[in-house]
Amino acid sequence: MRVLMLLALLLLGGCQAEASPPATLFDYQLHNPAGAPLDLSQAAKQLASADVIMVGELHGHQGIHRFQAELLARLLAQPRPLALAMEQFSRDRQPVLDAYLEGKLGEDAFIEQARAWPGYRSDYRPLVELARHAGIDVLAANAPRHIVRCIGREGPSYLDRLPASHRAWVAERLTLTDDGYKARFMASRHHGQPPTEFQFAAQTSWDDTMAESIFNYLQAHPGYRVMLTVGRFHIGDGLGTAQRLQQRAPRLRLALLYPVTPGEAEPAPPLWRLRVAESPATRPTGEPAPAIAAGEPDC
């Protein structure tokens, strides 16, 4: 109950129960893989058996971020223990994230030291605050941006030059085979140019690292489940992070929630469909390598 009350303070409140199209940027409509529209109570019950719930997003879309927080609150109200995993923080920042969750660090210092994404306060703060008040773990699941960028420039062999402590910030094994995810990525065009093999290695370093982070956590915490917030490209068609996690743990039960805007192709089962309004603020996901940020080392 405390979690739901906190959520009401952080967000606008209310949820979509009817099957009508989203009326505003903050609205959403969730459909299960069978195509049935669900309210959050119904969705939470159907998701109760999932070991990992991956909620795809269009970064910066307020309707999706609202849904993520409202769903997290519902899952926290269920008896099965839960952890939150986030693409938006990298493994090297886990100690900073833990310090904030434990009350040892103020929010401004946390945002700076964790290298939080620019939209943290509007997009991800409700998730972290819900987790903090509920006392659950939050996984900084991703690979550091500067290492991903260097893989995109120099290839996966760049990892061999890292000291062991830094090498541990990226998945031990990268999936570089010619699979469906690689075909999907190589067929895309980022900034008008076809991706390179090195850029795919950078892309899958994100996916393999997030998958490994979740796999390692569940191995160490039997009976738990994980909710992951991640760009929708990483779970499209059941590939990317979802595929890499399933390869590591075939018996895990995954639920993939994929957002779509009007006019876009709807995901095929077993993906769930999250209908949202189109937003000019959203930006593409699945870019091959992020630009250098202040305070990050170059290759």
Side-chain angles (χ1 to χ4, degrees):
M1 182 61 68
R2 288 176 52 203
V3 170
L4 294 174
M5 291 176 63
L6 173 63
L7 183 65
L9 297 176
L10 292 169
L11 301 172
L12 296 177
C15 62
Q16 295 284 100
E18 69 284 349
S20 58
T24 74
L25 177 62
F26 296 92
D27 295 321
Y28 58 80
Q29 175 59 59
L30 182 65
H31 297 251
N32 66 15
L38 306 173
D39 62 26
L40 275 175
S41 177
Q42 295 167 329
K45 289 179 180 178
Q46 292 192 18
L47 291 168
S49 62
D51 300 308
V52 181
I53 302 162
M54 297 187 176
V55 186
E57 67 178 53
L58 293 163
H59 303 316
H61 194 295
Q62 291 307 304
I64 298 171
H65 294 309
R66 173 189 171 191
F67 168 76
Q68 290 171 333
E70 292 183 347
L71 177 62
L72 177 62
R74 292 282 180 169
L75 297 177
L76 287 171
Q78 294 179 341
R80 187 176 177 185
L82 175 74
L84 173 66
M86 302 184 71
E87 174 195 12
Q88 294 75 26
F89 295 100
S90 56
R91 284 181 174 181
D92 58 324
R93 303 292 103 182
Q94 187 71 58
V96 178
L97 181 53
D98 290 342
Y100 178 69
L101 295 173
E102 294 166 6
K104 299 176 181 178
L105 197 64
E107 185 179 62
D108 288 343
F110 159 63
I111 290 173
E112 179 181 357
Q113 294 177 29
R115 296 174 181 161
W117 287 18
Y120 172 79
R121 282 190 167 90
S122 62
D123 300 343
Y124 305 108
R125 184 187 197 186
L127 290 166
V128 174
E129 291 306 305
L130 283 168
R132 185 168 69 90
H133 282 270
I136 68 168
D137 292 329
V138 181
L139 311 182
N142 213 346
R145 291 177 296 184
H146 66 278
I147 295 179
V148 173
R149 185 184 63 253
C150 292
I151 295 171
R153 289 182 184 177
E154 303 184 16
S157 62
Y158 172 78
L159 295 172
D160 298 333
R161 307 206 308 265
L162 294 175
S165 58
H166 292 197
R167 179 62 186 84
W169 294 337
V170 182
E172 182 179 351
R173 171 177 56 84
L174 299 187
T175 308
L176 301 172
T177 52
D178 292 330
D179 59 8
Y181 187 55
K182 182 176 182 180
R184 184 169 178 258
F185 180 81
M186 299 302 282
S188 64
R189 298 184 72 87
H190 298 279
H191 310 294
Q193 299 295 326
T196 66
E197 291 285 336
F198 286 0
Q199 287 172 336
F200 174 70
Q203 176 74 15
T204 200
S205 71
W206 276 329
D207 294 287
D208 279 302
T209 301
M210 289 188 283
E212 185 187 80
S213 296
I214 295 170
F215 173 77
N216 289 345
Y217 185 85
L218 291 177
Q219 287 287 102
H221 298 82
Y224 275 63
R225 58 180 171 165
V226 172
M227 172 177 151
L228 171 70
T229 60
V230 63
R232 70 175 184 175
F233 189 91
H234 295 284
I235 63 170
D237 298 326
L239 302 174
T241 305
Q243 179 190 43
R244 274 96 175 104
L245 177 57
Q246 205 78 80
Q247 289 169 345
R248 288 170 167 81
R251 294 184 180 180
L252 282 181
R253 293 165 293 187
L254 273 56
L256 311 179
L257 283 57
Y258 188 89
V260 291
T261 58
E264 290 187 313
E266 296 182 349
L271 273 67
W272 296 54
R273 181 172 79 250
L274 180 67
R275 298 173 63 198
V276 294
E278 187 173 4
S279 169
T282 57
R283 55 187 173 87
T285 58
E287 296 176 1
I292 191 169
E296 291 181 344
D298 204 348
C299 302

